[in-house]
């Protein structure tokens, strides 16, 4: 409520809501300023492919016709992942971002199940082998690990947001990766897999 004619937020930063999803946060491809202290990471536990499904369900069950009309164009809008302009992680060879379904698959295996790259690759072959080649999957996996580990410092102090799933990127969710973790172990294993399929 407004008090004495004053707006409820004296500082505009207090009104900001972080719209990025877990996939964007994991890859460090958010265009939203993550260094603002007074924000809430409302989608930080939702992978990108879940967002339209949840909105579609909300539209189906909503009794408010205006809400349904507002959600329809959002649900229908295709918004693929993209590397922001002037992204310095792309210069390190991590520019080839996978389709959303593949990135979300890697995130689930890494965060929730703690799979090693070799197991994630075998499962990815089963899930996507008819759509993508082994080399594509491994190159995308290499980019995933490279970007995820290089951008961990950006997620270390995520603001509070609702807990939705069994895995998250914040310390309060039990995610204990160091702020400046190194990705050599994961990348070396992916490189060994790439060398193997190249034989």
């Amino acid at each position: 409520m407004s008090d004495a004619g004053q707006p409820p937020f004296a500082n505009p930063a207090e009104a900001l809501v972080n719209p990025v999803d877990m996939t964007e946060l994991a890859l460090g491809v958010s265009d939203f300023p993550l260094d603002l202290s007074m924000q809430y990471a409302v989608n930080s536990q939702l992978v990108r492919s879940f967002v339209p499904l949840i909105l579609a369900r909300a539209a189906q069950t909503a009794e408010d016709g205006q809400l349904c009309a507002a959600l329809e164009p959002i649900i229908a809008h295709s918004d693929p992942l993209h590397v922001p302009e002037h992204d310095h992680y792309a210069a390190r060879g991590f520019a080839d971002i996978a389709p959303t379904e593949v990135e979300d698959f890697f995130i689930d295996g890494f965060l929730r199940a703690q799979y090693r790259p070799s197991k994630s690759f075998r499962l990815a072959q089963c899930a996507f082998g008819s759509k993508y080649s082994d080399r594509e999957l491994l190159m995308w996996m290499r980019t995933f690990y490279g970007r995820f580990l290089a951008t961990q410092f950006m997620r270390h102090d995520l603001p509070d947001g609702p807990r939705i799933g069994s895995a998250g990127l914040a310390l309060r969710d039990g995610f204990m990766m160091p702020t400046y973790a190194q990705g050599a172990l994961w990348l070396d294993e992916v490189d060994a897999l790439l060398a193997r399929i190249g034989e």
Side-chain angles (χ1 to χ4, degrees):
M1 291 288 291
S2 175
D3 183 25
Q6 296 297 319
F9 298 106
N11 180 354
E14 295 178 2
L16 289 173
V17 175
N18 187 343
V20 301
D21 52 58
M22 184 190 286
T23 310
E24 288 177 302
L25 286 170
L27 297 171
V29 296
S30 170
D31 289 324
F32 198 82
L34 294 176
D35 57 347
L36 296 172
S37 60
M38 299 296 291
Q39 58 176 315
Y40 296 89
V42 295
N43 292 332
S44 65
Q45 290 203 340
L46 287 176
V47 291
R48 195 175 189 83
S49 53
F50 278 7
V51 174
L53 298 176
I54 291 172
L55 292 178
R57 179 64 179 164
Q60 290 172 0
T61 58
E63 297 180 1
D64 185 343
Q66 289 183 330
L67 175 60
C68 293
L71 289 176
E72 283 178 4
I74 300 172
I75 296 167
H77 176 64
S78 176
D79 188 18
L81 291 164
H82 67 281
V83 177
E85 291 184 23
H86 312 299
D87 178 80
H88 60 281
Y89 301 107
R92 301 183 193 178
F94 303 130
D96 194 13
I97 290 180
T100 302
E101 60 181 354
V102 178
E103 295 292 358
D104 289 348
F105 185 88
F106 291 152
I107 290 169
D108 182 72
F110 184 62
L111 288 183
R112 190 177 56 81
Q114 292 87 49
Y115 292 148
R116 290 180 53 167
S118 55
K119 183 165 185 176
S120 282
F121 174 56
R122 288 195 302 271
L123 293 173
Q125 285 177 305
C126 295
F128 305 111
S130 61
K131 294 177 69 174
Y132 310 114
S133 70
D134 287 354
R135 178 162 292 278
E136 283 178 311
L137 291 172
L138 285 171
M139 291 303 294
W140 288 332
M141 181 183 288
R142 192 176 195 288
T143 295
F144 166 74
Y145 286 119
R147 294 187 73 92
F148 188 96
L149 274 298
T151 58
Q152 169 59 13
F153 74 95
M154 296 169 62
R155 301 180 295 270
H156 190 70
D157 294 318
L158 276 176
D160 288 339
R163 180 158 189 166
I164 298 170
S166 59
L169 295 172
L171 292 174
R172 68 181 177 280
D173 301 317
F175 187 60
M176 302 299 291
M177 184 171 285
T179 307
Y180 290 97
Q182 299 297 311
L185 290 174
W186 290 273
L187 294 173
D188 286 350
E189 188 168 334
V190 176
D191 287 341
L193 291 167
L194 277 166
R196 193 177 306 164
I197 68 166
E199 295 175 356

